[in-house]
Amino acid sequence: MNKWFYHWAWKEEITDAVLLSAAEEIAAGRVEAKLGGCLYKKRLPRLGRGKSGGYRVVVGYKWPNDERLIFLYAFAKSKKANMSAKEEAALSLVAESFVSTNDKQLQDLLAAGSVREVQHHE
């Protein structure tokens, strides 16, 4: 996840387990909307509630590469109906850039703290 998303998820108490579950659904093709290019919209449940009263998250993902998915942006459906065309275009550029990175570039992003890996806790 990018730095903005990490702070948002922490504030909203979205766990890595919820994000991993969403990532698995996205990799399986279960998304609410394909926004074009490698940008997708997925619903996440709000803590203690279901998905319908929850959040919309925007991810970058190049199917079928299930090893490279990035959570970019999120909003509560009750506070925002949708993204603007400018927001969507900007996020699409970021998503394309991220999914095109090689392993060294990804390691550099992780080391710099620009992105954070969702952890699988057992």
Side-chain angles (χ1 to χ4, degrees), residues 60-79:
Y61 176 67
K62 192 168 191 172
W63 193 84
N65 182 1
D66 59 1
E67 294 180 11
R68 189 92 24 105
L69 180 147
I70 187 164
F71 291 92
L72 297 166
Y73 184 65
F75 56 94
K77 184 69 172 171
S78 61
K79 294 190 177 173

Side-chain angles (χ1 to χ4, degrees), residues 105-117:
Q105 292 168 324
L106 179 57
Q107 290 307 315
D108 291 346
L109 289 170
L110 287 164
S114 299
V115 296
R116 178 184 175 274
E117 190 170 8

Side-chain angles (χ1 to χ4, degrees), residues 42-113:
K42 180 74 182 152
R43 293 189 312 175
L44 282 185
R46 188 179 295 262
L47 186 63
R49 298 170 64 181
K51 288 182 181 180
S52 63
Y55 305 104
R56 304 305 182 257
V57 297
V58 178
V59 301
Y61 176 67
K62 192 168 191 172
W63 193 84
N65 182 1
D66 59 1
E67 294 180 11
R68 189 92 24 105
L69 180 147
I70 187 164
F71 291 92
L72 297 166
Y73 184 65
F75 56 94
K77 184 69 172 171
S78 61
K79 294 190 177 173
K80 184 174 186 168
N82 220 333
M83 297 183 304
S84 71
K86 280 185 177 182
E87 287 173 314
E88 196 172 310
L91 288 170
S92 184
L93 287 173
V94 173
E96 287 286 341
S97 214
F98 178 79
V99 299
S100 299
T101 60
N102 61 40
D103 291 340
K104 164 115 176 56
Q105 292 168 324
L106 179 57
Q107 290 307 315
D108 291 346
L109 289 170
L110 287 164

